[in-house]
C-alpha cells in the first residue's frame, strides 16, 4: 500500500459519483411540497463570503461545477458577499425558486437559519459547527483531521530543526480541531517538536499568511502547515517545506509542498442532491461525508517527494493510515483553544 492509494483518486471518486447520481431519481419542489421527478435539473445557489479561489470555498464550488458539467444542476453563486448583505443575498435566491441553497457564512450563521425558517420547502446545506435546524437546514464541515494527522507525521519526520510552524485563519473550533490533529501527528514521530502557531484573523489574506510564514521561518521553523493560502510562497522563497491543507498545491510548488491533506466535497454534494431528487431532504449533519471512509478526505500521493521522504517514515504513515481506515485508531476531536506559547497542547487520543 502507498500513501493515498488506499482511497479512490479524485477522478475515480467523481466517476463513482456520476454513476450513483445518474441512477438516482430526480426531485423538484412543486406547489410547496417535495416531490420526486425524473430528468429535471436541480436549481442550486451558493452564497460565499470569500472568493471562490479561497481553498475551503473552492472545494464546494468545484463539486458544484462538476455536477453542473454533468447536466444535473443549474448553478448560481455569489462570492465576496459581505456579512451585512449575506442574508439578503440568500433571500434573493430563495425568492427565485432555487431548490437547494448552500452557504458558509460561519460568523453570520444566524441569518442563514432565519432564511431557512422562512422557506421550509427549500433545502439548505450550510458549512457550520452548529446543529441542523428542522425541518430543512443541514450542516457540513471539512472533517479532514485524519489526513491532517498523517501529514503531521510527515512534517515531524521531515523537520531537521524540530520546529514546526502553523499558519491559520482564526482560533475557531473547526480550525483548532485541525491544528491539534496536525500537532498530534507530528508528536507521533517527534515527541519533542516545538510549535509556532500564528492566526492571521482573516479567511483570505495571502499577504498576511506569507508574512506570518516568514516570521515563523525566522524563528527556526523548517516545515510549515499552511492551513491558510499564502504561506507556501514564503516557504518556497526560503527553501523550506509546506504541508498544504484542503487542496493539493504541489503542482504550483513542486519543490516545496511535501504533502497535502485534501478535502473532497463531492460525496457531500452527491448526498444532498440525491436527497433533493428523491424528495427526502431533511435536517441532518453531513459532516461524516468529509471523512476518509466516505472518500471525502485523503492524504495526497507524495508526487515529487515520493523519493525524498524516507521509506521508513512512509511505512509508518501507511501503517497509521490503515489503522484509521479499519477503525483501530480514532482521532478524538479536539477543538479547544490552543494554549499560550511555550505550553504543549493536550494530545488527542487514539485507540
Amino acid at each position: 500500500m502507498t500513501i493515498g492509494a488506499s482511497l479512490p483518486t479524485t477522478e475515480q471518486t467523481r466517476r463513482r459519483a456520476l454513476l450513483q447520481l445518474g441512477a438516482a431519481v430526480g426531485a423538484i419542489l412543486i406547489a410547496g411540497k417535495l416531490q420526486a421527478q425524473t430528468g429535471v435539473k436541480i436549481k442550486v445557489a451558493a452564497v460565499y463570503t470569500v472568493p471562490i479561489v479561497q481553498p475551503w470555498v473552492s472545494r464546494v464550488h468545484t463539486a458544484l461545477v462538476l455536477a453542473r458539467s454533468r447536466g444535473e444542476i443549474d448553478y448560481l453563486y455569489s462570492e465576496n458577499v459581505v456579512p451585512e448583505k449575506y442574508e439578503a443575498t440568500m433571500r434573493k435566491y430563495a425568492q427565485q425558486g432555487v431548490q437547494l441553497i448552500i452557504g458558509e457564512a460561519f460568523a453570520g450563521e444566524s441569518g442563514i437559519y432565519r432564511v431557512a425558517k422562512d422557506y421550509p420547502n427549500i433545502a439548505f446545506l450550510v458549512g457550520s459547527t452548529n446543529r441542523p435546524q428542522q425541518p430543512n437546514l443541514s450542516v457540513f464541515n471539512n472533517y479532514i483531521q485524519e489526513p491532517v494527522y498523517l501529514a503531521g507525521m510527515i512534517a515531524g519526520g521531515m523537520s531537521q530543526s524540530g520546529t514546526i510552524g502553523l499558519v491559520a485563519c482564526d482560533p475557531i473550533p473547526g480550525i483548532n480541531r485541525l491544528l491539534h490533529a496536525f500537532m498530534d501527528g507530528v508528536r507521533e514521530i517527534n515527541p519533542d517538536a516545538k510549535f509556532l502557531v500564528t492566526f492571521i484573523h482573516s479567511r483570505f489574506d495571502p499577504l498576511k499568511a506569507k508574512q506570518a510564514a516568514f516570521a515563523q521561518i525566522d524563528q527556526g521553523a523548517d516545515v510549515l502547515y499552511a492551513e491558510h493560502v499564502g504561506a507556501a510562497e514564503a516557504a518556497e522563497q526560503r527553501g523550506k517545506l509546506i504541508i498544504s491543507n484542503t487542496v493539493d498545491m504541489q503542482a504550483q510548488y513542486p519543490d516545496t509542498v511535501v504533502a497535502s491533506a485534501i478535502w473532497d466535497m463531492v460525496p457531500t454534494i452527491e448526498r444532498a442532491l440525491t436527497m433533493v431528487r428523491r424528495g427526502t431532504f431533511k435536517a441532518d449533519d453531513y459532516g461524516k461525508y468529509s471523512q476518509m471512509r466516505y472518500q471525502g478526505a485523503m492524504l495526497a500521493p507524495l508526487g515529487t517527494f515520493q523519493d525524498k521522504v524516507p521509506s521508513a517514515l512512509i511505512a509508518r504513515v501507511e501503517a497509521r493510515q490503515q489503522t484509521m481506515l479499519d477503525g483501530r485508531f480514532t482521532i478524538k476531536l479536539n477543538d479547544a483553544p490552543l494554549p499560550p506559547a511555550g505550553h504543549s497542547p493536550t494530545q488527542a487520543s487514539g485507540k
Side-chain angles (χ1 to χ4, degrees), residues 7-257:
L7 298 173
T9 64
T10 300
E11 185 60 31
Q12 289 172 327
T13 300
R14 291 174 178 174
R15 287 199 296 268
R16 175 184 55 78
L18 174 59
L19 292 173
Q20 291 181 348
L21 285 176
V25 179
I28 61 172
L29 292 167
I30 300 177
K33 297 180 180 180
L34 285 169
Q35 298 182 5
Q37 187 174 20
T38 303
V40 177
K41 290 183 180 181
I42 297 173
K43 296 179 180 179
V44 180
V47 185
Y48 305 123
T49 59
V50 292
I52 57 173
V53 296
Q54 192 260 8
W56 201 94
V57 161
S58 74
R59 307 312 293 156
V60 182
H61 179 69
T62 297
L64 290 169
V65 169
L66 176 64
R68 182 180 64 187
S69 71
R70 297 190 301 237
E72 297 166 357
I73 67 173
D74 288 325
Y75 173 43
L76 302 171
Y77 68 90
S78 297
E79 59 181 325
N80 279 323
V81 178
V82 294
E84 55 267 27
K85 294 184 178 180
Y86 197 92
E87 182 175 346
T89 303
M90 189 162 279
R91 288 184 182 277
K92 177 190 71 174
Y93 285 126
Q95 293 164 4
Q96 293 176 3
V98 170
Q99 297 156 263
L100 172 62
I101 295 180
I102 297 174
E104 47 73 52
F106 287 101
E109 289 176 0
S110 59
I112 300 176
Y113 282 75
R114 286 193 295 269
V115 178
K117 187 175 181 180
D118 291 342
Y119 293 89
N121 298 311
I122 296 177
F124 288 79
L125 182 61
V126 180
S128 175
T129 55
N130 290 329
R131 297 179 62 83
Q133 175 179 279
Q134 297 294 337
N136 61 326
L137 188 151
S138 292
V139 296
F140 70 92
N141 212 323
N142 64 332
Y143 288 102
I144 62 172
Q145 60 275 359
E146 291 168 319
V148 167
Y149 184 104
L150 297 175
M153 292 178 66
I154 294 175
M158 293 297 287
S159 175
Q160 300 297 314
S161 68
T163 299
I164 311 292
L166 299 88
V167 179
C169 57
D170 287 294
I172 59 177
I175 299 302
N176 294 339
R177 179 186 71 237
L178 299 182
L179 301 185
H180 281 295
F182 177 81
M183 291 186 288
D184 288 342
V186 170
R187 281 193 291 263
E188 179 167 335
I189 302 299
N190 181 3
D192 299 320
K194 175 183 176 182
F195 300 101
L196 305 173
V197 181
T198 304
F199 296 102
I200 66 170
H201 303 294
S202 171
R203 290 191 64 206
F204 188 74
D205 194 329
L207 180 58
K208 278 188 177 180
K210 182 178 179 179
Q211 293 170 339
F214 276 140
Q216 292 180 349
I217 293 170
D218 289 342
Q219 295 176 68
D222 60 352
V223 182
L224 294 86
Y225 172 45
E227 186 278 325
H228 202 287
V229 65
E233 186 174 346
E236 181 184 50
Q237 292 181 15
R238 295 287 184 86
K240 307 303 180 182
L241 299 179
I242 279 283
I243 304 293
S244 65
N245 184 73
T246 304
V247 297
D248 186 354
M249 299 178 62
Q250 194 177 81
Q252 298 97 307
Y253 304 96
D255 299 319
T256 303
V257 177

